[in-house]
């Protein structure tokens, strides 16, 4: 507000002092934040972390949410104004893929290496910006969340923050990120800092007590990958496997004289180094073809210089006995054993930062062998099985759905050093699947170089469904009986076990007929209903439901000497599964003031009080079978009021519904696809606490096989209220789709759309416009955009039009001097709209 002054010969008496009542705390939202950051980040590498913002109040809304972040830009060695920083700096932030407004403020050095900055949004009750303090050179980054309000039931906001760790960072020296939340407008939507103060939690100005998380700069990492399946292998030289060790160096860094070391356990037999990159040399090799104890179990590959990464791939197998002559897998029982493999990397590093000293063997990943890290543990087995799953007949939506046919492939292996009889594979698949009786299961086996393949006889396959009960189906495949039916021996021998046995000694593979392996294939059909097991109470096989399958292979262990039973049985297990796909959501603005945007969707939407907005909520239904489906739309207060939406019009067309009404949009196919079944419209409910409107479909089972893929498309219209609010705010409307499941976890999926609110902003101005004092001096000389008559003149004081454009060039804000007692002075009070919304005629002169 601007004022006007009159300079008189004698000053008026001072007004009496007024007492100001203390502020009464108002019910308000409770901002809450948490950080999730990677434990380690490569030096010089961009990385992302998340900050989760929520309103922890059970009842009250907060307005104007934001997040404060403290970034350790200085790092371990930096100091503002004197040294190059080597810490973490901010890049950008997004929410659900939408960029957020970010204000970056660097702390100055006000003495003692610390300083303070003015918060861009938070002011105290005197209107003075609240200060945040920190180490000089570090940063305060303030993220403005695109919500005018944040209700207690509104889903938490997960913000993705992109940052960069300096290429000069000190490896292994932790760096701390800190965060807090706030509501800039407090407990109401007005920027009335005098009476409704900003909410900051924690309220400390220097980061003390703020939620924090530590990031440790990393120079290099080491990882090991195994070439086999399910971290297991049958033992013997006919089952060679590979390990690949990969050492990754931080971008832009160079490691010299890098030794990559693998200490094989004394129950693995090294075969060969198959490849390594970049150029280097093998400086130590383990004993080849047999297990060895230290130091003969060590592989070392040296790389003179590595930038980026280095890798080593080598082959090995699980031998009959370990380096001490003890059987790796006990011959009589066939029980599994473990092989824990260690690896590490050590090299020389000359840091890019001249403040950090270089050294020898100062770059380490995985530790120094033999105390280096266990990077993989292998399961050594006398018999092993793995399961695979594929959809071979996909009759409906892409992915598994009722009516589809699943094909399970069971691959099994027999150790070179073992023999088995009475081999049986037992498969248990879950309720919701039915045995495909039209497909005969096939068995293939290769033993001692001879292969057999074909459909199994029905007599050797037993299918038992546990219903009533679990609804599971147990299928027993009698492998040995099937082999006998094919004119073969019931016993299945490993590659190094001769026909008839060894005659006494352990199989040393002087006889070696090759790997013994088998494959069994069968099929199931996904059903429309669970028969027995449906924890949710809904038997329909719905979107998100899980179908499982578990298999075991068992056999009697035979003595390799004479192929007689040892009295032990041994086996292995595996599993696979499929899930019914869920849908995808889309949220958009469909129409403004009833006018449907073309093209769709509406973009760059600006709204004024009294306008109407039509939102569009779309959700695809891959199988049209769902449980506990609801679409909840959270509207920003006080701009939009969810309670306005009370009516659902079950029509499908492209028109925008009137304010307070919802209907189906033009892409909706779920409602129209119901005949001859009952058409289904969602129920509407609203929440005052959450300012949300929910469209509830509940659960539905489409009995069609294959089920159709349909879509939900809902339009609803609300009115932009004339409640006071700040001008030009970017507001966000959030949609959450909830979908349950019969036997798996529920899922929530979020989508947003944004618009800008234009509000009137009234400014009161006052100025002296005229006086009858002959010696009066006006400052400024022009007293407004029109001529005003002298005080006491009859009739109206002016005749021309006063508007905003005239006031911009010749405002009414003059003071006057040179008047005395008895002189007449005229004032004008003007209320002017300086907001972006027209808001009606607000230029008023009093």
């Amino acid at each position: 507000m601007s004022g006007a002054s009159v300079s008189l010969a004698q000053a008026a008496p001072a007004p009496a002092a007024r007492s100001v009542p203390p502020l009464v705390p108002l019910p308000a939202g409770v901002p809450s934040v948490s950080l999730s950051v990677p434990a380690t980040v490569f030096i010089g590498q961009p990385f992302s972390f998340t900050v989760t913002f929520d309103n922890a109040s059970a009842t009250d809304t907060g307005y104007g949410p934001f997040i404060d972040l403290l970034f350790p830009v200085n790092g371990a060695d930096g100091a503002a104004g004197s040294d190059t920083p080597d810490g973490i700096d901010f890049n950008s932030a997004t929410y659900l893929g939408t960029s957020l407004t970010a204000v970056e403020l660097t702390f100055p050095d006000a003495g003692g290496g610390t300083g303070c900055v003015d918060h861009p949004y938070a002011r105290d009750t005197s209107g003075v910006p609240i200060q945040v303090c920190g180490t000089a050179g570090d940063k305060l980054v303030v993220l403005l969340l695109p919500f005018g309000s944040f209700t207690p039931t509104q889903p938490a906001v997960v913000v993705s923050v992109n940052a960069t760790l300096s290429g000069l960072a000190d490896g292994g020296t932790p760096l701390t990120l800190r965060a807090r939340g706030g509501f800039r407008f407090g407990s109401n939507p007005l920027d009335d800092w005098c009476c409704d103060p900003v909410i900051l939690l924690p309220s400390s100005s220097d980061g003390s007590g703020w939620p924090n998380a530590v990031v440790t700069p990393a120079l290099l990492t080491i990882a090991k990958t195994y070439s086999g399946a399910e971290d297991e292998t049958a033992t013997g030289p006919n089952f060679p496997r590979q390990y690949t060790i990969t050492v990754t160096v931080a971008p832009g860094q160079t490691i010299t004289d890098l030794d990559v070391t693998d200490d094989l356990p004394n129950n693995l037999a090294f075969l060969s180094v198959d490849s390594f990159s970049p150029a280097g040399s093998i400086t130590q090799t383990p004993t080849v073809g047999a297990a060895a104890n230290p130091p003969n179990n060590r592989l070392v590959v040296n790389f003179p210089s590595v930038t980026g990464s280095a890798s080593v791939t080598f082959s090995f197998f699980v031998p009959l006995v370990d380096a001490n002559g003890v059987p790796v897998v006990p011959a009589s029982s066939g029980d599994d054993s473990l092989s824990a493999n260690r690896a590490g990397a050590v090299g020389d590093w000359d840091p890019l930062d001249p403040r950090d000293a270089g050294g020898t063997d100062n770059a380490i990943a995985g530790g120094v062998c033999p105390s280096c890290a266990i990077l993989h543990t292998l399961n050594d087995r006398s018999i092993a099985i793995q399961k695979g799953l594929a959809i071979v007949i996909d009759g409906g939506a892409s992915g598994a759905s009722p009516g589809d046919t699943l094909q399970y492939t069971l691959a099994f292996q027999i150790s070179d050093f073992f023999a088995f009889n009475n081999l049986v594979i037992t498969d248990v698949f879950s309720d919701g699947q039915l045995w495909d009786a039209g497909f005969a299961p096939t068995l293939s086996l290769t033993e001692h170089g001879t292969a057999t393949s074909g459909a199994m006889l029905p007599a050797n396959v037993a299918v038992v469904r546990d219903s009533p009960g679990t609804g599971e189906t147990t299928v027993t495949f009698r492998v040995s009986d099937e082999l006998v039916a094919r004119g073969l021996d019931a016993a299945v021998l490993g590659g190094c076990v001769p026909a008839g046995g060894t005659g006494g000694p352990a199989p040393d593979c002087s006889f070696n007929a090759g790997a013994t392996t088998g494959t069994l294939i069968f099929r199931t059909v996904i059903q429309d209903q669970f028969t027995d097991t449906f924890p949710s109470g809904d038997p329909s096989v719905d979107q998100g439901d899980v179908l499982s399958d578990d298999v075991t292979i068992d056999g009697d262990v035979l003595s390799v000497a004479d192929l007689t039973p040892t009295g032990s049985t041994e086996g292995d297990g595996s599993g696979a599964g499929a899930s019914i796909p869920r849908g995808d959501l889309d949220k958009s603005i469909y129409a403004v003031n009833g006018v449907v945007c073309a093209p769709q969707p509406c973009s760059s939407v600006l709204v004024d009080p009294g306008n109407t907005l039509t939102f569009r909520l779309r959700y695809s239904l891959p199988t049209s079978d769902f449980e506990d489906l609801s679409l909840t739309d959270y509207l920003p207060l006080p701009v939009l009021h969810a309670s306005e939406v009370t009516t659902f019009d079950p029509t499908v067309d492209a028109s925008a519904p009137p304010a307070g009404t919802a209907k189906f949009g033009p892409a909706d196919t779920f409602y129209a696809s119901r005949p001859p079944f009952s058409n289904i419209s969602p129920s509407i409910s609203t929440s005052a606490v959450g300012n949300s409107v929910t469209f509830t479909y509940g659960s539905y089972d489409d009995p069609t096989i294959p089920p159709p893929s349909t879509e939900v498309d809902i339009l609803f219209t609300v009115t932009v209220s004339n409640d006071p609010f700040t001008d030009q705010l970017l507001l966000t409307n959030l949609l959450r789709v909830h979908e349950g499941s019969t036997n798996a976890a529920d899922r929530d999926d979020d989508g947003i759309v944004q618009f800008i609110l234009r509000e009137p902003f009234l400014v009161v101005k006052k100025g002296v416009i005229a006086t009858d004092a002959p010696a009066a001096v006006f400052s400024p000389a022009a007293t407004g955009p029109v001529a005003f008559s002298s005080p006491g003149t009859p009739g109206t004081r002016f005749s021309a039009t006063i508007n905003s454009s005239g006031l911009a060039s010749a405002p009414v804000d003059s003071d006057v001097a040179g008047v005395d007692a008895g002189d007449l002075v005229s004032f004008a009070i003007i209320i002017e709209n300086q907001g972006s919304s027209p808001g009606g005629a607000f230029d008023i002169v009093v």
Side-chain angles (χ1 to χ4, degrees), residues 17 164 241 300 548 620 700 742 826:
T164 297
R241 305 299 186 211
V300 180
S548 62
S620 61
Y700 182 78
T742 304
S826 296

Side-chain angles (χ1 to χ4, degrees), residues 43-44 86-87 165-171 175 217 349 353 356:
I43 295 171
D86 62 353
L165 177 61
S166 170
L168 306 180
D170 290 13
L175 300 171
W349 177 45
D353 192 340
D356 299 329

Side-chain angles (χ1 to χ4, degrees), residues 490-798:
V492 180
L493 313 182
C496 295
V497 179
T502 64
D508 59 3
C509 290
S510 56
F511 167 83
N512 189 344
T516 298
T517 61
T519 302
L520 193 151
I521 297 174
F522 69 95
R523 293 179 177 180
T524 68
V525 178
I526 301 175
Q527 302 301 290
D528 183 60
Q529 301 270 327
F530 296 102
T531 59
D532 299 83
T533 305
F534 36 95
S536 70
D538 180 358
S540 172
V541 176
D542 297 324
Q543 297 176 170
D545 289 350
V546 174
L547 307 171
S548 62
D549 186 284
D550 295 299
V551 65
T552 58
I553 185 169
D554 296 281
D556 296 336
V557 180
L558 302 179
S559 167
V560 295
D562 56 7
L563 304 185
T564 59
T566 66
S568 297
T569 61
E570 180 60 13
D572 184 29
S574 184
S579 61
I580 311 299
R582 282 186 160 123
D584 297 314
L585 67 83
D586 181 69
K587 172 70 185 287
S588 63
I589 296 176
Y590 184 74
V592 179
N593 292 327
V595 178
V596 177
C597 296
Q600 281 287 308
C602 302
S603 60
S604 303
V605 175
L606 302 172
V607 295
D608 302 317
N611 290 169
T612 62
L613 278 174
T614 300
F615 293 106
R616 188 177 194 179
L617 319 179
R618 301 176 68 176
Y619 187 64
S620 61
L621 300 172
T623 69
S624 301
D625 291 323
F626 52 80
E627 285 190 42
D628 194 22
L629 176 63
S630 63
L631 291 79
T632 300
D633 201 273
Y634 294 85
L635 301 171
L637 283 170
V639 180
L640 305 173
H641 293 283
S643 58
E644 183 184 12
V645 185
T646 58
T647 305
F648 196 94
D649 174 15
T651 59
V652 181
D653 60 48
S655 64
T661 301
K663 61 182 287 291
F664 293 119
D668 190 281
T669 53
F670 176 70
Y671 178 79
S673 69
R674 298 310 88 217
F677 316 114
S678 298
N679 290 333
I680 296 177
S681 297
S683 63
I684 296 180
S685 61
T686 59
S687 167
V689 174
N691 195 43
S692 59
V693 55
T694 299
F695 302 92
T696 301
Y697 279 91
S699 301
Y700 182 78
D701 174 27
D702 191 316
T704 308
I705 299 295
S709 295
T710 59
E711 181 174 339
V712 166
D713 186 6
I714 295 175
L715 307 175
F716 74 95
T717 302
V718 286
T719 305
V720 180
S721 75
N722 59 4
D723 295 345
F725 205 16
T726 302
D727 184 32
Q728 285 290 308
L729 276 186
L730 177 66
L731 300 180
T732 296
N733 183 226
L734 171 69
L735 167 66
R736 166 158 287 189
V737 176
H738 173 86
E739 191 174 358
S741 170
T742 304
N743 60 7
D746 294 356
R747 187 186 76 163
D748 293 314
D749 199 9
D750 296 337
I752 61 171
V753 67
Q754 297 181 307
F755 60 95
I756 293 177
L757 173 68
R758 301 190 301 183
E759 285 276 7
F761 181 68
L762 303 185
V763 177
V764 179
K765 296 182 177 181
K766 180 180 179 182
V768 179
I769 56 172
T771 180
D772 62 359
V777 177
F778 292 92
S779 178
T783 58
V786 300
F788 295 96
S789 61
S790 299
T793 303
T796 59
R797 304 308 306 277
F798 65 96

Side-chain angles (χ1 to χ4, degrees), residues 31 37 66 98 101 136 153 210 226 289 336 378 398 401 425 455 490 501 528 561 571 591 611 638 687 718 758 776 784:
V37 306
F66 62 85
T98 300
T101 298
T153 60
W210 295 19
Y226 170 60
D336 306 341
L378 183 66
S398 177
S401 60
I425 294 176
D528 183 60
N611 290 169
S687 167
V718 286
R758 301 190 301 183

